[in-house]
Amino acid sequence: MTDRDGAGASLGPAARAAIELLAPFVSGDALICDPVELATYECDGLTQFKARPAFAVLAGSSEDVQRVVGACARLKLPFVARGSGTGLSGGSVPNAEGALLVTSRMRTVLEVRAQDQRATLEPGVTNLEVSQAALPYGLFYAPDPSSQQVCSVGGNVAENSGGAHCLKYGFTTNHVMGLEVVTPDGEVVELGGPTGEVPGYDLVGAFVGSEGTLGVATKVTVRLLRLPEAVQTLLAAFADIDSAGKAVSAIIAAGLIPAAIEMMDALAISAAEKAVRCEYPEGAGAVLIVELDGPASEVAEGLADAERQCLDNGAFEIRIAADDAERARIWRGRKSAFAAMGRLSPAYIVQDGVVPRSDLSEVLHEIARLSDEAGIRVANVFHAGDGNLHPLVLYDDGVDGEEERAEELSTEILDLCISHGGSITGEHGVGLDKLAAMTKMFGEDDLETMLMLRRAFDPQGICNPGKAVPTPRLCGEPPRPRQGAHPLQQQGVAELF
Amino acid sequence: MPALAELERVCPARARRGEPADSVDGVVPDIVVSPRGTAEVAGALQVAGNFGLRVVARGAGTKLDWGNPPESADLVVDLSQMGEIIEHESGDLVARAQAGTTLAHMSEIFSRMGQRFPVDEVVAGSTVGGVVATGLSGPGRYLNGAVRDLVLGATVVRADGVVVRAGSKVVKNVAGYDLAKLFTGSYGTLGILTELTLKLKPVPKEQRFVVASYPQPADLGRALPALLTCQAAPTAIELERTAPDGPLQLSVLVEGRPGPVELRSAEVASVLGAADVSPVPPARWAQLPGPVSLKFTSVLSGVPAVVQGASSLARDHALQASIAGSAGTGVLFMGLPGDVRAEVLRPLLEDLRRCCALFGGHVVVLRAPASLKAALDVWGPVKGVELMRRVKQAFDPGRRLAPGRFVGGI
């Protein structure tokens, strides 16, 4: 414990009592009360939402989590769980009166059962470590968010993380078989199980993606898949977004399910070019990256099919990666695109919305029109295969009023997604950022029903309160801009998105 | 009967008195109502709320006797008149259908665009609502996922008659709680599903069934791991044993493009040893053994052992048992004679539960005569049941939806 007395003056009575309860059980450096040290934890990847918790515990075990949650439950003290802090919606921003439970020390791969094709992990294990642990057995863990080197499995469970390959493989929710959860009243329950099929309500399905509001996962059992025999990656360059969009539709209509179909527009390509010299074909108004995996014979025919669909829809250049190094080169431009925005613009907002795949072209045209009207540039880098857009709204925060116009445009883009029957978030989550948008996507009765589930898990309302599902008093918060790169990106630790 | 009059008002000409043929696992409802849309279901449930009626939802009625009989059923909400496919966005591989739509009808419509809802029709005549409510997946779950993985969104009428939309119509969505998963497999105890938004897949151009027979479960212990690690990427890995001492049959479905499917099915055949390769499914493919049906589960490595265990137990109890199911996912079924007696089934069930528990599995009595189920623990022990009760309490505080049918008396 550090500087307990120094911080004490600003602590509420419940937080103070919780610290008293916990101090004898939590080893010295795992209980943080020093405001300076606590500053490390005041935000996640969406840096404009900040709050300093009353205290933080770096949990080392399920028992630690249970103790902290148990103390909070007894004292009716709010708490927030946090993994690696790479979230992009403010979902793990601490509660200023309450406890922050950091799970990044719970980093043991508890079990890899190759014969059962599953692994059990502590929540602080990083996403990449799961696949690394599975690799010697010829297995892998499918969800692969771009931040996979740092993001934690516990965070993936909270956010229902996807990744570039979720077009074929689905999301975290499709790969979690069982969870050990500490409920908001401090009880330990096992949800699901090692077979992934247990009698009763699908509480695993309810918990995954609940953004840390239904409890804290302390063990995660995931399904591992056989590594595919073959992987083929194709880069296709088009004159414009429209023809690239048509190629996407044609690939899907041909009955292909690639592992990934990614698209970048001209602005995004130019940013990536400036940042990493990805050397995408010159003059491309849009590029597609199509990756196929599976049995070698299927992939070979599928690749030929995908290539034909691209050519038929106007691709003027096609490159096929001959080996892993060439594959990495193709992906480098895509993966660097977000961080590269700093080369184009002093500030930008990352939006995350979903539209039906077949509406992609229309929606992109409408985004372009909105962008023209606002006089604000928008770059598009996105998961085209599943309609998940990531428009990057570029602006200069030094110019008076531009930030407000950028925010407005970003909101309009989200409204556009909703009007096309889409979603306000495909992977970044609601957190604090999109509470207002939830009320546009869902009706009052829908939201109230979500809150019924929440109350069943958390009757006292202490588990990550004020996030994910709006309560009426929280509506109306405007979306907030994202300025500059995430600290982890700047350090070169991880790509986000 | 004032409730009937009120129901006639919300569902004109579609409310009537219940008859013996409407019996829900032996419980004859007072009233049956057949709404034509979500609004009428909502109206019916509001009336049911006003009169305190206990309600059971029914699709084609093929799995109405699964789980425990309801403690009572004053009103059956019959969804068989809601059989319309509302949207089929083939470019998005997404469809929205009313809950009473049969899997057969969906298959017919979607196949015109070369697509399918990849959930097998395990029980003939099933509606999509019934399949989602019971979470019943067939062989294809090995590759395509279980029902819960294929439901993108749902429209549900709550016990209080409020209409709720859960999820969305896009394949990627993390806004709010995934309530559609909560309703999937909830046996009508949290709300009545009226519309479902489903993820579709392309219909593969070619299919081959690779079938091999083994005298002993131990042979399965060799073949199965090899199959799970080979690169043929099958759609389904099914096993069948029609008699406790009989041979074991492994049937592997390989789907894809014509040329590659030949290569891949040949690879599976070489892994299995002496095997037949055919474009036609083997007998009883994707069928539930019965008439009394148990579901039992195991981790993958335990499948040979639990099959052996289940066979031995059946033999010890002198029962003519057949076993079938997904060896590739560890979800298996045991079929027993319709006249099996409770004194025989109860110890078998207990022993099988002990056996499966060693391999992380569970045993559930899916289908049996109500008199037999009354003497059995149909669902067995369930972890987290207290939390489930709290969810039920939140959604249906009056316990009016299929009371007693589900786990832990929910």
Side-chain angles (χ1 to χ4, degrees):
Chain A
M1 187 180 16
T2 54
D3 197 24
R4 186 169 122 204
D5 300 326
S10 61
L11 290 180
R16 201 185 300 256
I19 291 170
E20 293 299 330
L21 272 176
L22 293 168
F25 299 100
V26 180
S27 68
D29 72 333
L31 179 58
I32 302 173
C33 303
D34 170 31
V36 177
E37 278 186 66
L38 287 172
T40 311
Y41 302 105
E42 64 187 10
C43 66
D44 64 9
L46 191 64
T47 50
Q48 69 270 21
F49 291 105
K50 283 188 175 139
R52 208 167 289 189
F55 68 97
V57 175
L58 308 181
S61 64
S62 283
E63 290 71 30
D64 282 354
V65 174
Q66 207 185 334
R67 253 183 223 118
V68 174
V69 175
C72 290
R74 218 171 317 153
L75 298 161
K76 222 178 158 183
L77 184 70
F79 66 92
V80 176
R82 169 193 166 108
S84 304
T86 55
L88 292 165
S89 53
S92 62
V93 171
N95 184 289
E97 278 78 49
L100 182 72
L101 239 173
V102 182
T103 58
S104 49
R105 283 190 178 179
M106 296 174 66
R107 218 171 153 159
T108 308
V109 175
L110 297 168
E111 195 181 31
V112 178
R113 295 274 304 176
Q115 284 195 319
D116 295 327
Q117 302 194 336
R118 70 178 153 87
T120 301
L121 318 147
E122 287 193 323
V125 172
T126 66
N127 176 286
L128 192 60
E129 282 167 345
V130 184
S131 277
Q132 284 167 345
L135 187 64
Y137 307 97
L139 300 169
F140 76 112
Y141 177 54
D144 61 344
S146 305
S147 55
Q148 66 178 161
Q149 284 148 300
V150 275
C151 68
S152 70
V153 166
N156 292 173
V157 166
E159 300 295 316
N160 188 17
S161 303
H165 296 89
C166 50
L167 174 58
K168 175 172 176 181
Y169 290 106
F171 317 96
T172 300
T173 189
N174 307 111
H175 300 274
V176 174
M177 307 169 82
L179 295 168
E180 180 191 271
V181 167
V182 176
T183 64
D185 47 14
E187 306 270 322
V188 179
V189 283
E190 199 182 313
L191 310 179
T195 63
E197 175 99 356
V198 302
Y201 295 134
D202 185 358
L203 297 186
V204 171
F207 192 90
V208 176
S210 63
E211 302 194 15
T213 63
L214 301 183
V216 184
T218 47
K219 282 182 193 158
V220 183
T221 298
V222 300
R223 183 172 288 119
L224 301 174
L225 301 178
R226 182 88 179 95
L227 277 165
E229 183 178 23
V231 182
Q232 289 282 7
T233 310
L234 170 156
L235 177 81
F238 297 84
D240 50 51
I241 281 276
D242 263 356
S243 36
K246 280 182 193 133
V248 173
S249 300
I251 288 169
I252 299 294
L256 285 167
I257 304 271
I261 308 180
E262 302 284 304
M263 199 193 294
M264 290 165 71
D265 70 4
L267 200 49
I269 296 167
S270 77
E273 184 58 45
K274 284 199 179 108
V276 298
R277 295 228 172 82
C278 54
E279 296 177 339
Y280 286 169
E282 245 176 78
V287 294
L288 282 186
I289 298 172
V290 182
E291 190 156 283
L292 293 130
D293 69 9
S297 53
E298 293 283 352
V299 170
E301 289 196 15
L303 183 70
D305 230 3
E307 190 178 357
R308 190 165 47 246
Q309 303 300 342
C310 288
L311 288 172
D312 287 353
N313 286 282
F316 64 83
E317 186 173 336
I318 290 197
R319 295 179 193 167
I320 291 165
D323 52 32
D324 285 348
E326 286 191 25
R327 182 175 359 274
R329 207 166 309 139
I330 288 178
W331 277 104
R332 195 173 58 201
R334 164 63 183 89
K335 291 191 170 179
S336 70
F338 286 80
M341 287 306 147
R343 311 234 170 194
L344 293 184
S345 176
Y348 60 94
I349 302 169
V350 178
Q351 194 43 284
D352 167 41
V354 188
V355 296
R357 182 163 36 210
S358 52
D359 291 359
L360 264 181
S361 286
E362 192 185 332
V363 170
L364 289 168
H365 274 294
E366 289 175 65
I367 291 176
R369 186 180 56 76
L370 292 170
S371 161
D372 284 347
E373 279 175 15
I376 302 264
R377 289 183 301 167
V378 176
N380 285 291
V381 182
F382 55 98
H383 312 297
D386 40 29
N388 186 187
L389 302 169
H390 286 311
L392 294 141
V393 182
L394 312 178
Y395 67 96
D396 186 346
D397 46 346
V399 176
D400 237 15
E402 200 160 304
E403 179 167 328
E404 289 69 28
R405 293 218 307 285
E407 281 181 33
E408 220 169 277
L409 176 58
S410 177
T411 303
E412 283 170 359
I413 292 174
L414 218 50
D415 291 345
L416 191 59
C417 294
I418 297 170
S419 72
H420 280 264
S423 172
I424 56 164
T425 169
E427 49 189 19
H428 296 174
V430 173
L432 286 170
D433 193 33
K434 289 189 171 167
L435 286 168
M438 281 290 279
T439 60
K440 297 182 191 169
M441 179 167 167
F442 293 105
E444 259 176 57
D445 292 335
D446 309 333
L447 295 173
E448 186 202 294
T449 308
M450 291 185 196
L451 293 174
M452 282 162 50
L453 176 69
R454 186 174 194 153
R455 282 193 292 270
F457 275 77
D458 179 20
Q460 297 198 95
I462 56 171
C463 187
N464 209 7
K467 314 271 183 65
V469 182
T471 47
R473 71 187 159 76
L474 283 166
C475 300
E477 278 137 328
R480 302 288 293 275
R482 174 184 162 82
Q483 295 189 24
H486 185 266
L488 289 168
Q489 261 182 335
Q490 282 172 337
Q491 293 156 29
V493 176
E495 298 297 342
L496 301 176
F497 324 108
Chain B
M1 204 185 271
L4 180 58
E6 277 298 292
L7 286 163
E8 272 168 351
R9 189 178 58 76
V10 296
C11 299
R14 284 170 188 271
R16 61 173 173 83
R17 284 172 198 277
E19 296 161 8
D22 296 310
S23 137
V24 180
D25 212 5
V27 182
V28 178
D30 296 333
I31 307 172
V32 176
V33 64
S34 304
R36 282 161 301 188
T38 299
E40 288 189 359
V41 175
L45 284 194
Q46 277 155 15
V47 173
N50 295 340
F51 287 88
L53 306 181
R54 308 273 180 108
V55 182
V56 172
R58 178 175 85 191
T62 58
K63 295 178 283 297
L64 217 46
D65 58 348
W66 287 28
N68 281 312
E71 287 158 23
S72 63
D74 306 308
L75 173 66
V76 160
V77 176
D78 161 39
L79 298 158
S80 64
Q81 303 306 305
M82 292 173 57
E84 199 185 322
I85 294 171
I86 304 161
E87 279 181 271
H88 175 204
E89 297 293 346
S90 62
D92 299 326
L93 289 164
V94 168
R96 190 156 62 95
Q98 287 185 311
T101 312
T102 61
L103 292 187
H105 179 59
M106 295 202 316
S107 169
E108 188 196 322
I109 299 298
F110 301 153
S111 65
R112 290 178 194 163
M113 300 300 288
Q115 298 180 352
R116 64 180 176 182
F117 175 54
V119 170
D120 305 88
E121 191 175 346
V122 173
V123 177
S126 288
T127 63
V128 64
V131 161
V132 173
T134 54
L136 179 64
S137 307
R141 69 179 302 159
Y142 176 71
L143 183 73
N144 294 316
V147 172
R148 51 105 63 193
D149 298 306
L150 298 161
V151 177
L152 299 172
T155 303
V156 183
V157 181
R158 276 185 347 210
D160 55 5
V162 170
V163 177
V164 180
R165 276 185 323 116
S168 75
K169 62 173 226 177
V170 285
V171 291
K172 200 170 179 184
N173 167 40
V174 295
Y177 301 139
D178 193 350
L179 293 177
K181 287 206 171 42
L182 187 65
F183 288 108
T184 302
S186 66
Y187 278 73
T189 60
L190 295 178
I192 295 186
L193 298 163
T194 58
E195 291 175 16
L196 295 150
T197 306
L198 309 166
K199 197 171 170 177
L200 308 183
K201 302 255 169 129
V203 178
K205 294 185 174 67
E206 199 64 80
Q207 59 175 32
R208 289 286 179 276
F209 294 85
V210 186
V211 181
S213 190
Y214 302 101
Q216 295 297 329
D219 302 323
L220 195 64
R222 281 184 288 275
L224 204 51
L227 205 49
L228 292 171
T229 54
C230 83
Q231 284 290 5
T235 302
I237 302 175
E238 291 285 294
L239 68 76
E240 187 185 44
R241 191 177 213 190
T242 51
D245 291 312
L248 271 144
Q249 181 177 286
L250 264 186
S251 308
V252 179
L253 172 59
V254 180
E255 297 179 306
R257 294 154 183 279
V261 159
E262 295 303 332
L263 294 172
R264 291 163 57 211
S265 49
E267 184 184 348
V268 170
S270 81
V271 167
L272 293 186
D276 293 325
V277 180
S278 163
V280 183
R284 297 174 299 282
W285 174 261
Q287 282 177 24
L288 199 63
V292 169
S293 309
L294 313 184
K295 171 176 165 179
F296 60 110
T297 55
S298 160
V299 296
L300 296 183
S301 61
V303 166
V306 298
V307 168
Q308 181 57 49
S311 301
S312 303
L313 290 171
R315 195 175 47 231
D316 293 350
H317 291 100
L319 276 171
Q320 195 52 44
S322 59
I323 290 168
S326 173
T329 61
V331 180
L332 303 160
F333 303 95
M334 180 190 273
L336 295 165
D339 60 356
V340 59
R341 297 206 322 274
E343 309 86 87
V344 179
L345 187 49
R346 200 184 307 116
L348 173 105
L349 189 58
E350 283 165 14
D351 289 345
L352 188 58
R353 278 193 173 128
R354 269 192 288 275
C355 171
C356 290
L358 295 174
F359 300 95
H362 295 81
V363 185
V364 168
V365 180
L366 277 189
R367 190 169 60 191
S371 56
L372 186 57
K373 286 190 289 191
L376 302 172
D377 179 1
V378 163
W379 293 100
V382 175
K383 284 180 182 160
V385 74
E386 272 315 311
L387 200 49
M388 293 176 194
R389 287 204 182 99
R390 275 155 56 178
V391 172
K392 169 72 173 177
Q393 172 68 23
F395 279 76
D396 178 21
R399 284 188 84 245
R400 290 191 299 100
L401 298 179
R405 192 176 180 194
F406 203 44
V407 300
I410 287 173

